[in-house]
Amino acid sequence: MKLIHTSDWHFGMPVATGNYEECQRYFLEQLYDLIRRERVEAVLCAGDVYDSTISNAEAIRLFDEAATTLCTELGVTFILIAGNHDSAARLSSCSKLLEASGMFVSGSLKKDPQPVLLDDGKVAVYPLPFFQRDAVTALFPEQKEQIRTTEDGAKLLCDRIRQTMDPKRRNIILSHSYIVNAELSDSDRAAKLGYASAISKDVFEGFDYVALGHIHKPQIIAPHIRYCGCPIKYSFGSEELQEKGVVLIDTDTMEQQFIPLPLLRDRKTVTGTYEELIRREDLKNDYLRLEVTDRYAGLELHAELLERFPYLLELKGKSIAGQSEGSSLTEEEVRSLDETDIMCKFMAECFDYAPTEEQIQEFRRALAECEQEDSE
Ligand SMILES: [Mn+2]
């Protein structure tokens, strides 16, 4: 049978020009076409269906429509796990009831996840929703001492699956996790903060295929372990050059194929003079970061360019005298700065002036208040 591995839809993600709903709808249409064309029988979504744990009404409606189309109209089995962006409880609401319709949702972590059997039992799909170490120690308090990291937890859970799994089946695991040395994109916000919870690919030994979610760049970790990546270009930088799509798997041969899917809107960083940029008719439908080399990036220029390029998200102008060329920062630089440094750089970049001493004091007061609230 054929199945599709997808992940990180991030329904409800906001963007300066609104949200990505029309792009996500376009992706779903491509997905449905592929399912019909290839006679796909199951769709596996490895987490982050939603962008937020408190998803908005539009995002819920979109997910509702997608799930209904997949299970009812196209008749596929839809298996999904919660990612770190999803609310495990909300996502898995009515999950027992939904199983009758061919939808299998795994929200919070289970001691012994039961597989979803497909193709008359020839294929078993084990759902391993996103978790951190604490979730595993809560399930196995007697082994708390041995479970020191997220990786220890993942290994324990996979060991338990391995004990009962039938090697005659094609055993597939769905996991929302950060594998050591996976390559990140700028839209991997949460993953960047989660270096500590990275796990080794070796915990998945013995599975025939590991369908990963969490990291937005499609990539092969080992021949049978891969990230399909998110279906839309959610950030600038390296993600601009990535191909987006899904992975098609034939469980008879275990052959995998990355199927690139066309995007409604591409995402581009374009540098040029004002005259060069305004003549670019080809950029009207894309998400843009424009770098104008011969003008300052003021509100007026921004408004003018936005009229021409409705999906303009970022604008950079030439830097003012005395400032170093190019005011953007690398990630390492950001990590070496404290909050006040970052705020000063932000002000300099957006408004072309450094904050006054009074503004800095005000900022520190506000920051202290937030920290106070956080610790309460
Ligand atoms: Mn994600």
Side-chain angles (χ1 to χ4, degrees):
M1 72 177 290
K2 282 182 183 171
L3 49 87
I4 281 173
H5 163 203
T6 175
S7 77
D8 296 270
W9 293 354
H10 285 270
F11 287 175
M13 188 192 280
V15 62
T17 54
N19 58 48
Y20 289 102
E21 185 172 336
E22 53 174 358
C23 294
Q24 289 158 338
R25 275 186 191 284
Y26 187 82
F27 155 69
L28 290 170
E29 290 301 329
Q30 311 301 312
L31 179 70
Y32 303 152
D33 284 349
L34 180 66
I35 289 170
R36 288 192 195 98
R37 205 163 62 234
E38 294 285 342
R39 300 180 190 284
V40 170
E41 290 177 69
V43 171
L44 278 45
C45 181
D48 283 0
V49 167
Y50 290 113
D51 187 56
S52 162
T53 51
I54 34 166
S55 30
N56 58 43
E58 291 79 25
I60 293 171
R61 190 184 57 213
L62 187 60
F63 176 64
D64 179 1
E65 287 174 21
T68 307
T69 305
L70 288 171
C71 296
T72 309
E73 212 172 295
L74 299 169
V76 301
T77 304
F78 184 28
I79 307 173
L80 67 155
I81 56 171
N84 54 311
H85 282 259
D86 298 307
S87 156
R90 287 193 174 89
L91 194 69
S92 58
S93 149
C94 302
S95 57
K96 269 278 161 241
L97 281 177
L98 291 169
E99 287 181 8
S101 308
M103 180 161 152
F104 297 81
V105 189
S106 186
S108 51
L109 201 62
K110 302 243 162 42
K111 256 183 155 172
D112 292 296
Q114 289 309 301
V116 179
L117 296 180
L118 303 169
D119 200 13
D120 300 324
K122 291 203 275 289
V123 177
V125 181
Y126 290 87
L128 190 63
F130 175 79
F131 66 91
Q132 280 166 317
R133 177 188 165 267
D134 292 358
V136 190
T137 54
L139 289 177
F140 303 96
E142 68 288 354
Q143 295 183 60
K144 204 171 171 182
E145 296 303 309
Q146 293 96 289
I147 308 166
R148 287 199 204 92
T149 59
T150 306
E151 179 172 308
D152 292 338
K155 183 159 184 313
L156 171 76
L157 291 159
C158 289
D159 279 344
R160 292 177 69 94
I161 295 175
R162 276 186 283 261
Q163 276 163 23
T164 58
M165 108 186 162
D166 180 350
K168 288 194 289 297
R169 288 180 173 143
R170 300 291 196 194
N171 291 297
I172 295 171
I173 189 164
L174 257 181
S175 171
H176 192 85
S177 52
Y178 177 23
I179 304 295
V180 178
N181 291 333
E183 271 182 74
L184 303 179
S185 321
D186 284 355
S187 62
D188 292 311
R189 298 178 307 236
K192 271 187 206 167
L193 302 171
Y195 288 111
S197 54
I199 63 178
S200 160
K201 64 177 171 29
D202 299 338
V203 304
F204 297 115
E205 216 188 302
F207 288 96
D208 296 290
Y209 185 75
V210 183
L212 295 170
H214 196 32
I215 305 300
H216 290 181
K217 179 183 180 173
Q219 57 197 289
I220 297 172
I221 300 292
H224 62 295
I225 304 178
R226 71 196 282 170
Y227 286 102
C228 56
C230 60
I232 284 149
K233 293 185 181 179
Y234 285 125
S235 67
F236 288 110
S238 62
E239 199 164 1
E240 291 173 36
L241 303 172
Q242 292 167 18
E243 238 179 345
K244 297 298 190 184
V246 298
V247 180
L248 182 68
I249 298 146
D250 185 332
T251 58
D252 296 338
T253 57
M254 286 317 282
E255 193 188 317
Q256 317 154 24
Q257 200 187 347
F258 182 78
I259 310 284
L261 295 177
L263 299 169
L264 181 65
R265 303 194 189 294
D266 205 346
R267 193 165 185 124
K268 290 172 185 154
T269 299
V270 187
T271 306
T273 62
Y274 171 79
E275 287 298 331
E276 282 165 356
L277 291 175
I278 55 165
R279 267 185 265 127
R280 291 288 297 273
E281 290 290 325
D282 58 311
L283 300 174
K284 282 191 183 323
N285 287 316
D286 297 330
Y287 289 117
L288 296 177
R289 174 161 69 184
L290 295 180
E291 299 178 349
V292 188
T293 54
D294 59 348
R295 302 251 173 134
Y296 299 118
L299 291 175
E300 215 168 298
L301 180 66
H302 186 264
E304 190 192 335
L305 289 172
L306 193 60
E307 208 160 294
R308 230 161 241 282
F309 306 109
Y311 302 99
L312 172 66
L313 300 182
E314 281 180 38
L315 176 63
K316 284 185 183 177
K318 74 171 183 180
S319 27
I320 51 171
Q323 277 191 341
S324 61
E325 200 57 47
S327 35
S328 52
L329 292 165
T330 65
E331 211 195 305
E332 279 88 290
E333 286 171 307
V334 171
R335 260 187 269 166
S336 71
L337 300 170
D338 72 10
E339 286 85 353
T340 309
D341 296 333
I342 293 171
M343 187 273 287
C344 292
K345 295 223 178 247
F346 176 79
M347 296 280 284
E349 192 158 320
C350 294
F351 307 110
D352 278 353
Y353 70 89
T356 62
E357 193 50 42
E358 204 187 343
Q359 285 172 319
I360 293 177
Q361 290 309 329
E362 193 55 44
F363 175 77
R364 292 202 169 123
R365 251 197 305 278
L367 193 67
E369 257 174 53
C370 291
E371 280 167 357
Q372 178 87 31
E373 270 172 38
D374 261 1
S375 63
E376 276 165 19

